[in-house]
Amino acid sequence: MGIETLNYLLNIFLNPDLIFLIFIGTLVGVLVGALPGLSSSMAIALLLPFTLYLEPIESIALMSALYCAGTFGGSITAILINAPGAPPAAATAFDGYPLAQRGEAGKALGISAISSAIGGIISVFALLFFAPLLARIAYSFGPPEYFALALFGISMLASIGSESPVKNIIGGLIGLLLATVGIDLMTGVERFTFGNPELYDGIDFIPVLIGLFAISELINQSLKINHDRLALAINAVKLPTLKNLKKIKNTILRSSLIGTFIGVLPAEGSTMAAMIGYNEAKRWSANPEKFGTGEIEGIAGPEAANNAATGGAMVPTLALGIPGSATAAIILGGLQVQGLRPGPYLFEQQPDLLYGIFASMLIANILFIGIGLYGAKYLSRVSLIPIKILWPIVLCLCIVGAYGLEQSMVDVWIMLIAGIIGYVLKNFGVTPAPIIMGLVLGTLIETSLAQSLILFEGSWLGFFSRPISLLFIFLSLVSFFGKSLYATLKKIL
Amino acid sequence: MRKFLFLFCFINISLFGQDSFPDHPIDIITHASPGGGTDTTARTMALAIQSINDVDIGVFPRTGGGGVVAMNYFDRQIHDGHNILAITPTHLFAMARGQSTVNIDDLIGIARATDDPLVVMVHQSSPFLDLNFLINYGKSTPIKWGTTQVGGVDHVAGAILALRANTQLDVVPFSGGGQIVTNLTGQTIDAAALNLTEAFDQIERGIFRPLAVLSPNRISLLPNVPTARELGYDVVFSTVRGYLVHKDTPLEHIETLQTIFSSGLNNQIFKDYLIGSGLTQESIAIGEEWDLQVRELYEDARIAMLELGIIQNPEILEQYMSPYFFPRVLIISILILSLWAMYKNRHSKPFFDLGFNRTISITTLILIASGFLFSVLGVILGLSVLLILLQFAWGQENKKILFLVSAITPIMIYLIFSILLNVRFPGILWA
């Protein structure tokens, strides 16, 4: 970190507009994170139309703060009502809720806030260090390397979440297919536009996103309109004692590193990180049999990991334009709508953006300790807003958000249709996250393939003649077929 | 944040009923991703304009499709002068191919910012010491020629050069000058015709080697680099970057814009930019001069496209991969994988269960209705009716809450979007 870095950071810390937006992002993030059904991905999707009215640095500060805080916010409801506010917090409920049932909700929340913050902060430093390095390497990346890397990103979809790998891949391919709508960059030929000029520039990313994340969830929520939720009473939230901290410090450190690494992998985000963080905390623990009954290590493990994955996920997103998680894919989409192109160029020409992200994630990670500790009491009440009131309001925001972007009704229809199709697909086990990954990677993967073929004069073997592309193609094959190959081998031997 | 403040000012103005132009930020719609010459020029000009006028003006990139995306987006906007189309020869080529909904006769010139000659460049460590060297190499192996867009000016320049020099070219399209610079630096391509504005830095640092200038005369910043004409190839192309509005724009707005742009382009900030790019004050043209030139350029573009056979036969642009190849592969893969997934899950769930029970079907119907409600009844009434419907369908028993939510939400949303974000809503009750 040179003087320049400090200078950039100081500019951000002294910019009241930015700090205000980061505060708003953190607050909204914790809130939506805490509301079951509303996730940070959805909140960012809903906010995207607004961010277009902001300067790039302001919009990215808002989105990244929301991303960090939303990941933490999920733990509040996981602990208090045993319903994770967002998927990454699922593992937190295993030990958080039992602890809260014993009347120690305050302690559970305190541990969660501190672990999340430390995990997040470690990963933000990893982001600041690794992203520029990766971006420098990216200078030697030509179209073949980008193609192989994007292919690797798609292949990683096989292992995200708990759904079946094949269905995740199908989702990714559907996303890629959606991205081919419009005028082909290489030849200028129209595809799937059916002569409709509104579709020449492709299906807009934001309406699809809002539809897939918010509208399909709204249909889903209509099944739950009569569920009553009950929050556990909460005593004063307190910071963990020194003794507690000593007990969980190794867990936090381990989970932070695991989370950062998993975050860096394309497509793998907080949910996976939290699961592995929990399992590792259990495996290394002195008394693993106590897990599930309210062990504080069982809260620290997943919480440090899922927040560490946020910083990690931004590394490939910013350095290469390959999203590190579904939420990062949305942020990437938002940057692209603003006309920014992630990659080495971003770091050379617009370092203030990188530092903007870095600073806002850092500030958000510190801010939510306070919001979490002092606001948990109120947030837990907000999370009890009946579905019958909350979701109709969300629907209005979706409609106006999709419309306001280009003031076109076509976008509203795209959003509604995407939502209904998204619900049906979800019912078949195809979740929105891989679709969004495919949609974001679509143009990159297709144009880099076409560009590579020109470079190789039409020979597909060219991909194997360049070490980096060979490596990523090999890794893609492993992640596509590795599991079944391993199973077959085991059977034979 | 700045825009928010501006919008607040706008609210004040509109409350007093004045009709002032511009009354909200002006967008310059470009086709290039950041880092290219078109983007840098537009941003510098916007900066120059803002430094002397009380006008909020920004650059709004809509990349892809050889400028078609940007032009079609422009065409869909309201033509009141707040949306300005940045045009380069690339757009004119696309227009000549009939790809855009915008026609040259729909446009009126505001100002020209640059007349930036193209320079053929290669990497410093490449064996191509001069243009003839490159051309001879291309006779045996096609030259990998990076271009900003398919059918863009640098593409056509390369293709015409190849035609005149009887050599071969493989065109590698990227989505902007910035990407070409990255790929030429990484030597994934052999050569490109770049503007000085895009690559002067790399020439100065000795990374790129300029081989020939595609202008009628040598340029002052590169006195030792010959023109293509001197080398015996009659190829002259420059990236003209100018700004136009739709012909439906009110005349007084066009005049205001011409004044604003003239002041910005003649400002020291922009002058310094031109000098730094190796250009002169002659790059700038305002109003009629530019309006006439853009029509001449269009005619030139059309003739070049005819010569290359692109207008008659657009498939000429296909190289190695048909535009239908990738979507077809995807559709086939999705089908195969879906069949595989169905086979694997054949025992688990009734196959055609789409997951629609009574509640979900009602919700879905309301969702479909919401689109119509919104577009017909407008934002306030439409959303109110929608809220009442949905809450009623979901069994909201507390009537007080039902009406409170249905009344307050649309008004809040209207206030935020319409006044703060300046969104114009549809609907007969809100025309």
Short mmCIF file of all heavy atoms in Angstrom, two decimals, chain A residues 389 393, chain B residues 384 387-388 391 396 398-412:
data_model
loop_
_atom_site.label_atom_id
_atom_site.label_comp_id
_atom_site.label_asym_id
_atom_site.label_seq_id
_atom_site.Cartn_x
_atom_site.Cartn_y
_atom_site.Cartn_z
N ILE A 389 -48.49 -8.11 3.81
CA ILE A 389 -48.25 -6.67 3.63
C ILE A 389 -46.95 -6.45 2.89
O ILE A 389 -46.87 -5.66 1.95
CB ILE A 389 -48.20 -5.97 5.00
CG1 ILE A 389 -49.56 -6.10 5.67
CG2 ILE A 389 -47.80 -4.52 4.84
CD1 ILE A 389 -49.58 -5.58 7.08
N ILE A 393 -46.08 -4.92 -1.44
CA ILE A 393 -45.29 -3.70 -1.60
C ILE A 393 -44.05 -3.99 -2.45
O ILE A 393 -43.68 -3.21 -3.34
CB ILE A 393 -44.89 -3.12 -0.22
CG1 ILE A 393 -46.16 -2.72 0.53
CG2 ILE A 393 -43.96 -1.94 -0.38
CD1 ILE A 393 -45.92 -2.24 1.93
N SER B 384 -52.53 0.95 -6.77
CA SER B 384 -53.50 0.83 -5.67
C SER B 384 -54.42 -0.35 -5.90
O SER B 384 -54.62 -1.18 -5.01
CB SER B 384 -54.36 2.09 -5.57
OG SER B 384 -53.58 3.17 -5.20
N LEU B 387 -52.56 -3.53 -5.36
CA LEU B 387 -52.32 -3.83 -3.95
C LEU B 387 -53.59 -4.38 -3.29
O LEU B 387 -53.54 -5.32 -2.50
CB LEU B 387 -51.84 -2.57 -3.22
CG LEU B 387 -50.37 -2.24 -3.42
CD1 LEU B 387 -50.08 -0.82 -2.98
CD2 LEU B 387 -49.50 -3.21 -2.66
N ILE B 388 -54.73 -3.74 -3.60
CA ILE B 388 -55.99 -4.21 -3.02
C ILE B 388 -56.26 -5.64 -3.46
O ILE B 388 -56.55 -6.52 -2.65
CB ILE B 388 -57.15 -3.27 -3.43
CG1 ILE B 388 -56.96 -1.90 -2.79
CG2 ILE B 388 -58.50 -3.88 -3.02
CD1 ILE B 388 -57.96 -0.86 -3.23
N GLN B 391 -53.70 -8.23 -1.83
CA GLN B 391 -53.92 -8.42 -0.39
C GLN B 391 -55.24 -9.14 -0.15
O GLN B 391 -55.37 -9.98 0.72
CB GLN B 391 -53.92 -7.09 0.34
CG GLN B 391 -52.55 -6.46 0.43
CD GLN B 391 -52.59 -5.22 1.28
OE1 GLN B 391 -52.63 -5.29 2.49
NE2 GLN B 391 -52.60 -4.07 0.63
N GLN B 396 -56.08 -10.78 3.41
CA GLN B 396 -55.81 -9.74 4.41
C GLN B 396 -57.16 -9.35 5.02
O GLN B 396 -58.01 -8.78 4.34
CB GLN B 396 -55.13 -8.55 3.73
CG GLN B 396 -54.97 -7.33 4.58
CD GLN B 396 -54.01 -7.56 5.73
OE1 GLN B 396 -54.44 -7.96 6.81
NE2 GLN B 396 -52.73 -7.34 5.52
N ASN B 398 -57.70 -7.51 7.91
CA ASN B 398 -57.75 -6.18 8.50
C ASN B 398 -57.92 -5.12 7.42
O ASN B 398 -56.97 -4.72 6.74
CB ASN B 398 -56.46 -5.94 9.28
CG ASN B 398 -56.55 -4.70 10.13
OD1 ASN B 398 -57.31 -3.78 9.82
ND2 ASN B 398 -55.79 -4.67 11.20
N LYS B 399 -59.18 -4.65 7.24
CA LYS B 399 -59.49 -3.73 6.13
C LYS B 399 -58.72 -2.40 6.26
O LYS B 399 -58.33 -1.80 5.28
CB LYS B 399 -60.99 -3.43 6.10
CG LYS B 399 -61.83 -4.66 5.79
CD LYS B 399 -61.84 -4.96 4.31
CE LYS B 399 -62.55 -6.24 3.94
NZ LYS B 399 -62.14 -7.46 4.63
N LYS B 400 -58.50 -2.00 7.49
CA LYS B 400 -57.83 -0.73 7.73
C LYS B 400 -56.40 -0.78 7.14
O LYS B 400 -55.99 0.10 6.40
CB LYS B 400 -57.76 -0.48 9.23
CG LYS B 400 -58.03 0.93 9.65
CD LYS B 400 -58.14 0.90 11.13
CE LYS B 400 -58.17 2.17 11.85
NZ LYS B 400 -58.23 1.91 13.32
N ILE B 401 -55.70 -1.86 7.48
CA ILE B 401 -54.34 -2.03 6.98
C ILE B 401 -54.36 -2.14 5.46
O ILE B 401 -53.57 -1.52 4.77
CB ILE B 401 -53.68 -3.27 7.60
CG1 ILE B 401 -53.46 -3.06 9.09
CG2 ILE B 401 -52.37 -3.60 6.90
CD1 ILE B 401 -52.77 -4.17 9.79
N LEU B 402 -55.32 -2.91 4.97
CA LEU B 402 -55.42 -3.12 3.52
C LEU B 402 -55.48 -1.80 2.78
O LEU B 402 -54.74 -1.54 1.85
CB LEU B 402 -56.66 -3.98 3.22
CG LEU B 402 -56.81 -4.54 1.81
CD1 LEU B 402 -57.60 -5.84 1.85
CD2 LEU B 402 -57.49 -3.57 0.87
N PHE B 403 -56.38 -0.91 3.24
CA PHE B 403 -56.54 0.35 2.51
C PHE B 403 -55.38 1.32 2.76
O PHE B 403 -54.98 2.06 1.87
CB PHE B 403 -57.89 0.99 2.85
CG PHE B 403 -59.02 0.26 2.18
CD1 PHE B 403 -59.94 -0.47 2.91
CD2 PHE B 403 -59.13 0.28 0.78
CE1 PHE B 403 -60.96 -1.14 2.28
CE2 PHE B 403 -60.15 -0.41 0.15
CZ PHE B 403 -61.07 -1.13 0.90
N LEU B 404 -54.85 1.25 3.95
CA LEU B 404 -53.72 2.13 4.27
C LEU B 404 -52.53 1.81 3.38
O LEU B 404 -51.94 2.69 2.74
CB LEU B 404 -53.34 1.92 5.75
CG LEU B 404 -52.85 3.17 6.47
CD1 LEU B 404 -53.91 4.24 6.45
CD2 LEU B 404 -52.42 2.82 7.88
N VAL B 405 -52.21 0.52 3.30
CA VAL B 405 -51.08 0.08 2.47
C VAL B 405 -51.35 0.44 1.01
O VAL B 405 -50.48 0.95 0.31
CB VAL B 405 -50.85 -1.45 2.61
CG1 VAL B 405 -49.86 -1.95 1.58
CG2 VAL B 405 -50.37 -1.78 4.01
N SER B 406 -52.58 0.19 0.57
CA SER B 406 -52.90 0.41 -0.84
C SER B 406 -52.90 1.89 -1.20
O SER B 406 -52.73 2.24 -2.37
CB SER B 406 -54.27 -0.17 -1.19
OG SER B 406 -54.34 -1.49 -0.74
N ALA B 407 -53.12 2.74 -0.24
CA ALA B 407 -53.14 4.17 -0.54
C ALA B 407 -51.75 4.78 -0.45
O ALA B 407 -51.36 5.58 -1.30
CB ALA B 407 -54.10 4.89 0.41
N ILE B 408 -51.03 4.39 0.60
CA ILE B 408 -49.75 5.08 0.85
C ILE B 408 -48.66 4.62 -0.11
O ILE B 408 -47.92 5.44 -0.67
CB ILE B 408 -49.32 4.88 2.31
CG1 ILE B 408 -50.30 5.61 3.22
CG2 ILE B 408 -47.91 5.41 2.53
CD1 ILE B 408 -50.05 5.39 4.68
N THR B 409 -48.56 3.28 -0.33
CA THR B 409 -47.45 2.77 -1.14
C THR B 409 -47.35 3.43 -2.53
O THR B 409 -46.28 3.93 -2.88
CB THR B 409 -47.57 1.24 -1.30
OG1 THR B 409 -47.93 0.70 -0.04
CG2 THR B 409 -46.29 0.63 -1.80
N PRO B 410 -48.46 3.45 -3.31
CA PRO B 410 -48.31 4.03 -4.65
C PRO B 410 -47.90 5.49 -4.61
O PRO B 410 -47.10 5.94 -5.44
CB PRO B 410 -49.72 3.90 -5.25
CG PRO B 410 -50.37 2.84 -4.47
CD PRO B 410 -49.82 2.93 -3.10
N ILE B 411 -48.39 6.23 -3.63
CA ILE B 411 -48.04 7.65 -3.57
C ILE B 411 -46.56 7.81 -3.26
O ILE B 411 -45.85 8.60 -3.90
CB ILE B 411 -48.93 8.37 -2.53
CG1 ILE B 411 -50.37 8.37 -3.06
CG2 ILE B 411 -48.44 9.78 -2.30
CD1 ILE B 411 -51.38 8.93 -2.09
N MET B 412 -46.07 7.01 -2.32
CA MET B 412 -44.64 7.06 -1.99
C MET B 412 -43.81 6.72 -3.22
O MET B 412 -42.83 7.41 -3.54
CB MET B 412 -44.30 6.04 -0.88
CG MET B 412 -44.83 6.39 0.49
SD MET B 412 -44.14 7.92 1.11
CE MET B 412 -42.47 7.40 1.44
#
